[in-house]
Amino acid sequence: MSGGFLLVLALMLPAVGVAAMFAVPMRAPERIAWLVYPPTLAVVIAIAVAVGRSGEALSYTLGGWAPPLGLMLRADGASAVMMVMSAIILGLVGISACMQFHTPDGVREARVPFTFWALLLALWSALNLVFLAQDLFTLFVALELLTFAAVPLVCLNGKADTLQAALRYLLFALVGSVFYLLGVALIYGAYGMLDFAALRTVARDDLATSLAIALMVGGLMAKTAVFPVHLWLPPAHAGAPAPASAVLSALVIKAPFFLIVRLWFDLLPAQGLLAANMLAALGAASILFCSVLALRQARLKLMIAYSTVAQVGYLFLMFPLATSDAPWETLAWSGGLLQLVSHAFAKAAMFVAAGLIAEALGHDRIDDLAGAAKAAPISVFAFALAGLSLMGLPPSGGFNAKVMLISGAVMLEQWWIAVVILAGGVLAAGYVFRVIGKATADPAEGVEIRPVARSLEAVPLALAICALVIGFVPLQPFAYLAIGRATGVIP
């Protein structure tokens, strides 16, 4: 369909912003970022509207060379949702970062603000490429760009502990890239092509294809940080500045999972139930093990980081539950993607709120949070609202997602998955209410508290409200997410 040039604009506008920052170095990079943001947001919304109106995927062939010789960009329903979600979260998190990463008046060079805003735009462009690319090697390039934009965000303060966390993150990401690239090489050796649509029509249910998908999924799991390859995430997300933590937790780890979904449902000729149950078992281990670890954390941001690993586990429960010939028509498919989106908004709200609470109290020790509700009441309220989604309580996107997954588990008599989801909700309630209880207590006499600007507190509240609004979607498979997949063959 026409309008495919919008896909190019979605990639290029943030990249042009980065180039402009280098062309006019160290001159208020946040202004350039905010000049780029409105047109890019308008482009991704236009893509989503075009996909919805036509009921077809939007595609564009770069340079007029069709695959396998050339490259194609393609936006289906799921891609459009991911791009709109990313744009909204990046915009709101950017607002929260304006004060922390503001170039001081009269200062010609400010390294940290320049680095933050340039990386944020680079990360946005890489995310859009992950959601739009249609061949396995371009996706590898997109994942690398995403990694090299995300890792420096962890160590912006230059402290030794954050540098160590960033290096560990980089090590896991690179190992994951090696596994992914080995899988790509196997696919190319077996078929002589890397384009998704072409591979879909010729993929065989043989050892080489299964091994290639297993290597790629394994590598992407390291980047997603599911148990037991999650060790890099808690120190990285807890050590980064709050706006960076919000972006990393809400968006960066969702991109490799989105690619796992595409490999599993779009490329693998036959999804074996044993392999699907193994993925779900790792997801269940993430939910239970990391929820218990979250309960034991002394610092608020570290608790939220372990909660991220636990919530990522829910995403992997969809694989043995979406087993029909048209998985995108199942409750589990919609429930899994709804969990992805609702968790992104909820976790961004929590990290931004945690940053404001730490600013008010001067620390983020959970046992010493008394008085936080007086200094930053809206932030604490936003934290509680976002916690509803993590616990799976109504009204929230997390509630709808978990109900859909439980319904899918009951219909297929996968009772253990339903039990894990319910147990995960109870554990999440434990660590969320622990924070709320401490934050709403009266502060001890003599404790110094700095009130937080209400305008800044509006950001986590808006993010948390987004997570709640998603809870009003109907409890049924979403037709929009099936756009581009309804025929079972990617055109």
Side-chain angles (χ1 to χ4, degrees), residues 322 324-334 476-479 481-482 485-488:
S324 75
D325 292 336
W328 42 87
E329 295 178 357
T330 63
L331 278 173
W333 165 273
S334 292
Q476 61 187 33
F478 305 136
L481 292 175
R485 287 184 166 80
T487 62

Side-chain angles (χ1 to χ4, degrees), residues 220-310:
L220 293 168
M221 288 171 66
K223 292 174 180 286
T224 306
V226 68
F227 178 90
V229 284
H230 67 284
L231 300 176
W232 63 268
L233 188 146
H237 288 199
S245 301
V247 171
L248 294 170
S249 190
L251 301 178
V252 173
I253 61 169
K254 302 303 184 342
F257 177 78
F258 180 78
L259 188 49
I260 291 175
V261 171
R262 292 196 59 195
L263 290 171
W264 191 265
F265 293 107
D266 292 346
L267 194 57
L268 194 61
Q271 296 90 25
L273 187 58
L274 177 62
N277 275 323
M278 288 175 63
L279 291 178
L282 292 176
S286 281
I287 295 169
L288 300 177
F289 182 68
C290 292
S291 291
V292 171
L293 289 179
L295 279 167
R296 296 168 56 87
Q297 297 308 307
R299 286 184 52 213
L300 180 57
K301 286 187 68 179
L302 205 50
M303 184 216 80
I304 300 172
Y306 274 105
S307 163
T308 294
V309 183

Side-chain angles (χ1 to χ4, degrees), residues 24 39 45 61 69 97 126-127 155 157 164 166 226 257 298 301 323 326 355 384 394 401 412-413 426 451 468:
V24 191
I45 291 175
T61 303
L69 294 178
L127 280 171
C155 54
N157 61 15
Q164 186 177 13
V226 68
F257 177 78
K301 286 187 68 179
T323 54
L412 295 177
E413 298 185 349
V426 172
L468 258 63

Side-chain angles (χ1 to χ4, degrees), residues 178-218:
V178 169
F179 276 83
Y180 179 86
L181 199 55
L182 286 173
V184 172
L186 273 177
I187 289 289
Y188 190 76
Y191 299 101
M193 62 179 75
L194 295 174
D195 180 70
F196 256 99
L199 286 169
R200 173 73 177 176
T201 60
V202 299
R204 303 180 294 271
D205 185 13
D206 58 14
L207 178 62
T209 305
S210 299
L211 180 59
I213 299 290
L215 285 169
M216 287 189 284
V217 169

Side-chain angles (χ1 to χ4, degrees), residues 400-466:
N400 285 27
K402 292 173 176 72
V403 167
M404 288 182 178
L405 290 170
I406 289 175
S407 300
V410 171
M411 285 190 287
L412 295 177
E413 298 185 349
Q414 295 265 26
W415 301 102
W416 68 275
I417 292 180
V419 170
V420 167
I421 293 173
L422 294 173
V426 172
L427 291 170
Y431 57 72
V432 170
F433 282 122
R434 177 189 172 208
V435 172
I436 300 302
K438 296 289 185 182
T440 52
D442 291 329
E445 190 172 345
V447 173
E448 183 179 352
I449 297 176
R450 293 187 301 175
V452 176
R454 296 292 178 262
S455 57
L456 292 177
E457 291 194 285
V459 172
L461 182 61
L463 288 163
I465 289 174
C466 288

Side-chain angles (χ1 to χ4, degrees), residues 23-365:
V24 191
M26 307 300 183
R27 297 291 182 87
E30 60 268 33
R31 294 180 185 172
I32 296 176
W34 286 114
L35 282 174
V36 168
Y37 182 76
T40 311
L41 175 65
V43 165
V44 298
I45 291 175
I47 291 171
V49 171
V51 170
R53 283 182 174 175
S54 67
E56 299 176 1
L58 196 64
S59 60
Y60 184 82
T61 303
L62 295 175
W65 293 84
L69 294 178
L71 300 178
M72 175 178 283
L73 302 176
R74 185 174 183 274
D76 54 22
S79 301
V81 168
M82 295 293 290
M83 285 197 296
V84 172
M85 175 195 77
S86 300
I88 295 173
I89 290 176
L90 284 169
L92 289 172
V93 171
I95 293 172
S96 75
C98 281
M99 183 170 291
Q100 186 174 358
F101 296 103
H102 172 67
T103 303
D105 295 335
V107 175
R108 181 178 176 79
E109 297 184 358
R111 179 186 62 81
V112 173
F114 177 85
T115 305
F116 175 80
W117 293 105
L119 290 174
L120 202 65
L121 289 185
L123 187 144
W124 194 2
S125 185
L127 280 171
N128 286 344
L129 184 57
V130 171
F131 302 141
L132 295 176
Q134 287 301 299
D135 79 87
L136 295 174
F137 188 76
T138 305
L139 285 165
F140 168 75
V141 173
L143 288 169
E144 293 310 287
L145 291 174
L146 187 63
T147 296
F148 288 113
V151 169
L153 287 173
V154 173
C155 54
L156 280 175
N157 61 15
K159 294 181 180 177
D161 56 339
T162 60
L163 285 170
Q164 186 177 13
L167 287 174
R168 181 183 296 185
Y169 176 14
L170 181 62
L171 177 63
F172 272 78
L174 292 179
V175 170
S177 297
V178 169
F179 276 83
Y180 179 86
L181 199 55
L182 286 173
V184 172
L186 273 177
I187 289 289
Y188 190 76
Y191 299 101
M193 62 179 75
L194 295 174
D195 180 70
F196 256 99
L199 286 169
R200 173 73 177 176
T201 60
V202 299
R204 303 180 294 271
D205 185 13
D206 58 14
L207 178 62
T209 305
S210 299
L211 180 59
I213 299 290
L215 285 169
M216 287 189 284
V217 169
L220 293 168
M221 288 171 66
K223 292 174 180 286
T224 306
V226 68
F227 178 90
V229 284
H230 67 284
L231 300 176
W232 63 268
L233 188 146
H237 288 199
S245 301
V247 171
L248 294 170
S249 190
L251 301 178
V252 173
I253 61 169
K254 302 303 184 342
F257 177 78
F258 180 78
L259 188 49
I260 291 175
V261 171
R262 292 196 59 195
L263 290 171
W264 191 265
F265 293 107
D266 292 346
L267 194 57
L268 194 61
Q271 296 90 25
L273 187 58
L274 177 62
N277 275 323
M278 288 175 63
L279 291 178
L282 292 176
S286 281
I287 295 169
L288 300 177
F289 182 68
C290 292
S291 291
V292 171
L293 289 179
L295 279 167
R296 296 168 56 87
Q297 297 308 307
R299 286 184 52 213
L300 180 57
K301 286 187 68 179
L302 205 50
M303 184 216 80
I304 300 172
Y306 274 105
S307 163
T308 294
V309 183
Q311 294 292 317
V312 162
Y314 289 98
L315 304 177
F316 286 84
L317 300 181
M318 68 186 283
F319 292 102
L321 304 179
T323 54
S324 75
D325 292 336
W328 42 87
E329 295 178 357
T330 63
L331 278 173
W333 165 273
S334 292
L337 293 186
L338 187 63
Q339 166 69 12
L340 187 157
V341 175
S342 60
H343 174 257
F345 281 106
K347 197 48 60 77
M350 281 187 155
F351 268 118
V352 174
L356 294 174
I357 291 171
E359 182 181 329
L361 301 180
H363 65 83
D364 70 342
R365 298 186 298 274

